[in-house]
Amino acid sequence: MGTASQVKDLLPYRLTVPATDPDSRPCPTQAGVAAVERSNDQVADLLQEYADLIAITGGDAFKVRVYEKAARSVGGYARDISGMGLGELRGIPNVGASIAAKIDEFLHTGAIHQLEELRTKIPAGVRMLTVIPSLGPKKAVTLYEELGIDSIDSLEAAIRAGLLHGLHGFGPKTEENLLHGIELMHKASERVDLGVGMGIAEEIVTALRQVPGCERCVYAGSLRRMKDTVGDIDVLATSREPATLMEAFTRLPSTGEVIAHGDTKTSIRTVAGLQVDLRVVPADSWGAALQYFTGSRAHNIRTREIAVHKKLKLSEYGLFDVATGEKIASTDEADVYGRLGLPWIPPTLREDNGEIEAALRGELPPLVTEDDLRGDLHTHTNLTDGLAPLEEMAAAAAERGYAYLAVTDHAPDLYMQRMTDEKALAQRERIRTLDGNFRGMRLLHGTELNIGPEGTVDWPPEFLAGFDLCVASLHSYFTQSREETTRRLLRACENPHIKIIGHPTARLIGRREPVDADWDAVFTACACTGTALEIDAFPDRLDLPAELARRALGKGVRFAIDSDAHAVPHLANMRYGVGTAQRGWLTTDQVINTWPLDRLLRFLQEGRQ
DNA sequence: GCCGTTTTCGGCCCGACTGTTTTCAGTCG
């Protein structure tokens, strides 16, 4: 979570919609979701944009960094800034007089005039160029000034036309990298990550529920199945006044263009380019419609086949007896499944990956839920690259009802984080002192080690022995061969102090491919050594991915679902980690942070003496 | 532009990597 990843967060859809809504409560049932975008996120986006524009216009690099830092501080600030005065705004870290004034101006007028001025000088497309990996502000401005390139499309055309030949600093390898980056962008822009999709969906659902006549309104589709990326959003509603609801949908602030506008279905594209379908169904079809629109397609085919074998017909309107045409079930999803001879199947399993067979045998797993989590085992504070002090992170974690929290700041090998032995020991002292001050929650002192290219980590065994918990993760050398990466991960597993491998594939959804490793070998090693694999809940990570988690499950591996929080609002990302764990068929027995403290502590101590 | 047990100026995370250079600029984490 550095400045670079902040810059990469500026994908088109991120300009208007935050990845996470820190005010929303974890809520798999979608009841009472409050999902209006926080002013914090809007301001964070504007400050980051300001930083980018200063960089592109060749402004002071330190100033750029300050605005980036301020953007992160505001975005990660626990309190909602709307309504805060100048004095309070200045209390936010990295916000001084000048930035506080800009925020204040935004809160009162909805704009920052200095930003508006910069925007007139640099076309938005030039800033968008920096979203391409390996293309920063310097190269972007060269392209713009020398060749007038002001969009990703015009860049691609220019490369293919050979216009970059001879341009200072742009050799053949750079061209190749740019084309590859553009390709990656195109792939990514077709889908958005779970967090972005959820943000948009909850905002729309919340808005539609306010419309007169609306009775029920939820999102369905791949979002309800918690897929790690979504290509569009399906919203399902019942209403006494369907036309009013449809009309309201087309007029939402987030609606960019109306693609189709009918009696039961309206499709729009948001200003950020994501398609959203709203379907209004009769109230007594609710269950069948929800089942149908949740999918997946493959799962629906299977359920319909089962219906056919029972001389029934299943559609979005209900389950019908073919002979008599009589409606047998439709109002309730569980009822529809029940009449097919199946238990209700959790949406996260509906992929036709064996869930139908398991359901028929009565062997659906009791999936881990967010309520089962007793703690978070991977979090950061402002001692390294987190935003909040230890006390704030602990208070917020206790607020979530956790029984334990591990603070796992980075270790010295990530040089930029400036960790030292002294700092780590001082933090441990602080943690021991504070332990018990947060609703009885147990504070554990951990660290996130860096797994080096040879599989070694930052500290020697005798120093590692002092930590309650060591997480170890890959942060570099992502392009090593499969053999090298596998050996590296195995060596980390064999270190008796390492109990969790953090974000094991190191993928960044839409931006970085997972590392290549012999995963079955890694899973076997994890099972043998008692090393848990993390499911990192950050919506652009979701790592381990669900498919790999399920494979690891078969080998007897344990897991930790962690937020990897770098700020208080990130603690709420847990729901995405839980969704991913469910898609991996995990139950509480395999997830170590659902265990009571004493069982967890035994696990963390095993083999360390 | 922010910050301060180095406090109103002077420093600000800084080293690795890549591709372009011919001694270094730009990007990334």
Side-chain angles (χ1 to χ4, degrees):
Chain A
M1 300 306 295
T3 47
S5 92
Q6 289 296 313
V7 173
K8 296 309 178 194
D9 280 350
L10 298 170
L11 292 169
Y13 43 83
R14 295 297 292 273
L15 297 176
T16 49
V17 181
T20 57
D21 178 5
D23 286 340
S24 69
R25 305 306 303 167
C27 189
T29 55
Q30 305 184 52
V33 173
V36 180
E37 185 179 12
R38 293 200 319 168
S39 300
N40 298 42
D41 299 307
Q42 296 175 323
V43 169
D45 286 343
L46 293 175
L47 293 176
Q48 180 63 51
E49 181 181 354
Y50 197 62
D52 289 347
L53 292 179
I54 296 170
I56 289 171
T57 52
D60 179 17
F62 292 117
K63 199 163 148 184
V64 173
R65 213 174 294 165
V66 165
Y67 275 97
E68 287 177 341
K69 274 159 68 177
R72 287 203 300 147
S73 294
V74 171
Y77 199 62
R79 272 183 61 199
D80 190 329
I81 57 168
S82 29
M84 280 170 65
L86 276 174
E88 284 179 298
L89 289 171
R90 291 199 59 176
I92 301 171
N94 304 306
V95 174
S98 172
I99 294 182
K102 289 186 177 69
I103 297 175
D104 190 59
E105 183 187 347
F106 171 77
L107 292 176
H108 285 99
T109 69
I112 300 171
H113 73 272
Q114 293 100 324
L115 175 60
E116 300 297 326
E117 281 167 26
L118 270 181
R119 279 176 174 170
T120 63
K121 292 183 188 160
I122 300 291
V126 176
R127 179 168 167 258
M128 293 312 306
L129 290 178
T130 64
V131 171
I132 301 170
S134 80
L135 181 54
K138 292 292 194 312
K139 284 202 167 90
V141 79
T142 302
L143 289 168
Y144 177 57
E145 286 178 347
E146 300 294 323
L147 298 172
I149 289 168
D150 62 357
S151 69
I152 290 169
D153 285 346
S154 61
L155 173 60
E156 186 172 2
I159 297 171
R160 295 198 189 285
L163 298 179
L164 269 59
H165 297 337
L167 195 58
H168 188 76
F170 290 80
K173 195 71 184 167
T174 301
E175 287 190 12
E176 194 182 303
N177 288 342
L178 289 177
L179 282 175
H180 181 251
I182 291 168
E183 194 187 332
L184 207 73
M185 286 273 319
H186 285 326
K187 259 197 278 177
S189 66
E190 290 162 15
R191 302 183 72 85
V192 300
D193 76 40
L194 180 57
V196 172
M198 195 67 86
I200 296 171
E202 290 184 338
E203 191 178 311
I204 289 174
V205 165
T206 303
L208 291 180
R209 283 178 181 171
Q210 318 294 322
V211 176
C214 179
E215 295 165 327
R216 306 173 87 165
C217 184
V218 299
Y219 59 80
S222 52
L223 198 62
R224 185 168 178 239
R225 303 200 311 276
M226 289 282 213
K227 245 184 117 153
D228 50 16
T229 62
V230 297
D232 60 19
I233 292 172
D234 293 299
V235 178
L236 192 63
T238 63
S239 173
R240 290 183 299 277
E241 302 172 40
T244 311
L245 193 65
M246 292 298 195
E247 191 64 22
F249 181 54
T250 63
R251 293 175 190 280
L252 291 177
S254 54
T255 296
E257 87 181 274
V258 178
I259 300 167
H261 190 13
D263 292 338
T264 62
K265 175 183 168 179
T266 294
S267 297
I268 61 108
R269 200 180 305 283
T270 68
V271 284
L274 191 65
Q275 183 170 330
V276 184
D277 297 335
L278 170 65
R279 296 158 197 266
V280 179
V281 299
D284 67 356
S285 299
W286 180 257
L290 187 56
Q291 196 277 334
Y292 176 72
F293 290 120
T294 297
S296 64
R297 186 180 166 77
H299 176 89
N300 284 353
I301 289 171
R302 293 296 306 278
T303 50
R304 288 178 176 205
E305 280 173 0
I306 291 172
V308 169
H309 282 115
K310 293 183 181 296
K311 300 201 183 333
L312 303 172
K313 185 186 78 159
L314 178 60
S315 76
E316 58 267 50
Y317 298 104
L319 186 63
F320 300 89
D321 185 307
V322 172
T324 66
E326 183 197 355
K327 189 191 281 186
I328 296 172
S330 64
T331 55
D332 177 62
E333 239 189 15
D335 202 21
V336 171
Y337 279 105
R339 296 301 183 107
L340 290 173
L342 295 166
W344 180 80
I345 298 176
T348 44
L349 295 186
R350 299 182 195 172
E351 299 291 347
D352 190 25
N353 280 335
E355 75 280 6
I356 302 276
E357 291 75 9
L360 287 169
R361 291 194 307 268
E363 291 173 6
L364 280 177
L367 297 178
V368 60
T369 68
E370 199 170 3
D371 284 343
D372 294 323
L373 298 181
R374 296 181 198 242
D376 195 334
L377 299 177
H378 182 174
T379 63
H380 296 270
T381 73
N382 61 1
L383 185 63
T384 56
D385 60 349
L387 292 169
L390 170 60
E391 292 81 355
E392 281 180 27
M393 290 300 282
E399 189 71 27
R400 291 177 62 80
Y402 289 153
Y404 44 83
L405 171 73
V407 174
T408 56
D409 273 311
H410 289 289
D413 284 0
L414 281 193
Y415 196 78
M416 60 179 173
Q417 308 296 357
R418 320 218 90 200
M419 178 55 93
T420 62
D421 296 15
E422 294 71 30
K423 282 188 187 175
L425 293 173
Q427 185 183 53
R428 184 172 308 156
E429 280 300 304
R430 187 79 192 132
I431 280 176
R432 300 301 182 228
T433 308
L434 289 171
D435 196 10
N437 289 3
F438 302 94
R439 301 181 170 197
M441 181 182 75
R442 179 67 184 275
L443 274 175
L444 300 174
H445 188 227
T447 181
E448 183 186 11
L449 301 165
N450 180 56
I451 305 175
E454 307 297 329
T456 57
V457 295
D458 313 55
W459 276 307
E462 56 274 20
F463 197 83
L464 296 182
F467 288 100
D468 299 321
L469 164 64
C470 297
V471 181
S473 321
L474 305 178
H475 296 107
S476 55
Y477 299 95
F478 303 120
T479 53
Q480 282 181 325
S481 71
R482 171 177 293 213
E483 293 70 27
E484 288 169 315
T485 304
T486 305
R487 200 178 319 126
R488 189 179 175 193
L489 287 167
L490 294 190
R491 190 159 175 202
C493 287
E494 285 159 6
N495 185 323
H497 295 290
I498 295 173
K499 289 297 169 184
I500 298 174
I501 303 292
H503 46 74
T505 78
R507 72 167 177 173
L508 290 177
I509 294 170
R511 303 206 301 271
R512 184 165 72 210
E513 298 292 329
V515 294
D516 188 16
D518 178 349
W519 289 110
D520 289 316
V522 174
F523 299 154
T524 302
C526 286
C528 286
T529 58
T531 310
L533 287 172
E534 181 174 77
I535 294 182
D536 188 307
F538 242 91
D540 63 353
R541 285 195 184 268
L542 300 179
D543 187 10
L544 274 186
E547 314 77 61
L548 286 178
R550 193 164 172 208
R551 251 165 76 187
L553 172 68
K555 302 227 175 228
V557 174
R558 308 289 201 193
F559 302 87
I561 305 172
D562 296 330
S563 71
D564 194 2
H566 285 64
V568 166
H570 298 161
L571 292 168
N573 285 337
M574 276 295 205
R575 59 172 170 161
Y576 304 122
V578 170
T580 302
Q582 290 189 344
R583 292 178 61 81
W585 291 51
L586 304 194
T587 71
T588 55
D589 195 45
Q590 298 107 19
V591 178
I592 64 173
N593 55 319
T594 66
W595 297 351
L597 179 63
D598 54 352
R599 184 178 176 196
L600 174 72
L601 291 177
R602 280 201 304 278
F603 175 84
L604 296 179
Q605 276 310 315
E606 260 166 43
R608 294 183 71 184
Q609 266 74 44

